[in-house]
Amino acid sequence: MSRRVLTLLLAGFFVLALGVVGAFRPVPYVVLSPGPTENTIGDIDKKPVISISGRQTYPTSGALSLVTVAYQGGPAAQIDLLTALRGWIDPTVAVVPQETIFPPGRDAKKVDEENAVEMTNSQDSAKAAALNELKIPYERVVTVLSTEQGKPADGKLQKGDQINSVDGKPATDSQFVGDTVKAHKPGETVTFNVTRGSQKLDVSLQPIASKDGKPLVGVLMQEKFKFPFDVTINVGDVGGPSAGLMFSLGILDKLTPGEITGGKRIAGTGTIDTEGQVGPIGGIAQKMVGARDSGATVFLTPADNCAEAMKAVPEGLRLVKADTLHDAVLALDALRTGKGIVPACEAG
């Protein structure tokens, strides 16, 4: 064998070896794929996803399924280059930069904790939105979920404190509390009136500047509602706020005569606020694949996700635009009865 051929063979071997080694090196990307679906008017592990006591309920049929996105990767379990390459050629998944899911300073545990909080808040907002749709009154309170160590609220506000007012103005919701704090300059005093146990207390805090210069006190809040009857939601390990719309529809279906699905398998997604406004979500392409794989033929889509969804809608899945909970109810009525307008998504 000539020296030249030997050199070429050795060079080729080293290139191949480097390629193999490189393929298994960790890369800062996350793979998003279709996650499980859960029927909000069905059961998980023989337990109802939505349980209602203290109020008359009615039979349901079909499915009102929430959809999820599963992810692979993250700071503590980075994927390798080969996994990322497989994801890039698979049309049912997405490969995104790691910081999209895990911004700097937020590890997997922190993200999971935040997703759990968002899910709890989403469930409460969904209950409130459903009751608003049915014109059933309820009370709303803002409570302290936790405080950040070393921040102004640390040691002064406590988990479970009910925030009654900020600077003398009623704390109508967590957004109002946050906006009132942000209206101050760092170092100025902001006064919280809270109920702690049987006591009402005034707590004075001096906000500090965050990294982007905005004032903060370091408190994580949760909106709680006092409903006239019990609504319990059981979804296991699912996190995040994107199932709000489907929770509200499931509650409505159980509280009203008739079956709003018409026996069809309906899936959908979208955040929801207490007034029933449906907001956009991430991972719409993967969620539609999961919906179609579960047998759904109709997919309720937030209006702001419609253009993106139209580019990747699976065959056999009808997209129905949902701006509000009320719009979604009307659309399902029209689908069931064949009367009225079913708002469709349009390409952007």
Side-chain angles (χ1 to χ4, degrees):
M1 182 181 297
S2 69
R3 179 176 295 180
R4 181 177 180 184
V5 171
L6 181 60
T7 301
L8 288 173
L9 287 173
L10 288 173
F13 172 77
F14 283 121
V15 169
L16 179 61
L18 288 172
V20 171
V21 172
F24 292 98
R25 289 184 63 84
V27 292
Y29 289 92
V30 173
V31 174
L32 305 179
S33 58
T37 64
E38 300 293 353
N39 180 12
T40 61
I41 53 176
D43 296 340
I44 296 179
D45 295 331
K46 298 182 180 180
K47 293 182 179 180
V49 174
I50 297 173
S51 301
I52 299 173
S53 60
R55 185 89 175 187
Q56 182 176 358
T57 58
Y58 300 87
T60 61
S61 69
L64 288 167
S65 296
L66 63 87
V67 287
T68 64
V69 174
Y71 73 83
Q72 183 182 3
Q78 286 189 319
I79 60 172
D80 55 43
L81 179 60
L82 190 60
T83 301
L85 290 173
R86 284 199 299 262
W88 275 315
I89 62 176
D90 186 342
T92 68
V93 306
V95 181
V96 299
Q98 182 174 283
E99 60 267 22
T100 304
I101 309 298
F102 302 95
R106 291 167 61 198
D107 58 16
K109 181 179 179 182
K110 183 69 173 176
V111 170
D112 288 344
E113 288 175 351
E114 291 173 354
N115 283 340
V117 171
E118 288 182 333
M119 171 56 80
T120 300
N121 288 340
S122 174
Q123 291 177 7
D124 285 343
S125 294
K127 297 172 189 177
L131 267 62
N132 282 334
E133 179 72 14
L134 295 172
K135 305 293 190 294
I136 299 173
Y138 59 90
E139 295 181 53
R140 181 192 328 220
V141 296
V142 182
T143 63
V144 174
L145 187 64
S146 64
T147 58
E148 293 186 61
Q149 188 173 2
K151 299 296 191 298
D154 185 21
K156 292 190 174 183
L157 293 177
Q158 297 181 9
K159 181 177 180 179
D161 284 352
Q162 178 179 315
I163 302 174
N164 304 315
S165 64
V166 183
D167 290 340
K169 300 175 184 176
T172 53
D173 54 39
S174 55
Q175 170 119 17
F176 168 82
V177 176
D179 288 345
T180 304
V181 171
K182 291 174 184 176
H184 289 73
K185 295 179 180 179
E188 292 182 347
T189 297
V190 54
T191 301
F192 285 70
N193 179 267
V194 302
T195 298
R196 182 178 300 162
S198 60
Q199 291 183 305
K200 283 193 174 183
L201 308 170
D202 283 329
V203 179
S204 296
L205 304 174
Q206 286 74 45
I208 60 174
S210 63
K211 290 181 180 179
D212 58 6
K214 295 180 180 178
L216 64 83
V217 296
V219 59
L220 185 61
M221 294 170 287
Q222 180 178 6
E223 291 185 16
K224 289 190 174 182
F225 303 89
K226 295 181 180 178
F227 298 118
F229 50 89
D230 291 331
V231 180
T232 303
I233 298 177
N234 162 48
V235 286
D237 294 332
V238 176
S242 64
L245 171 62
M246 302 312 293
F247 287 143
S248 286
L249 288 170
I251 294 167
L252 280 173
D253 199 12
K254 291 199 167 199
L255 287 175
T256 53
E259 300 167 341
I260 65 175
T261 65
K264 295 181 181 293
R265 298 191 66 84
I266 312 291
T269 188
T271 65
I272 201 161
D273 64 19
T274 57
E275 302 307 312
Q277 189 70 39
V278 177
I281 50 79
I284 189 73
Q286 289 70 49
K287 289 178 177 179
M288 290 189 298
V289 172
R292 192 69 188 98
D293 288 348
S294 72
T297 55
V298 174
F299 190 79
L300 297 170
T301 312
D304 289 343
N305 286 120
C306 269
E308 180 185 1
M310 287 292 291
K311 297 175 184 176
V313 58
E315 185 177 353
L317 191 65
R318 180 178 182 179
L319 300 187
V320 175
K321 182 172 68 172
D323 283 296
T324 66
L325 173 60
H326 186 68
D327 290 341
V329 171
L330 292 179
L332 292 177
D333 285 344
L335 283 169
R336 186 182 67 256
T337 63
K339 300 176 182 179
I341 297 174
V342 180
C345 278
E346 298 177 357

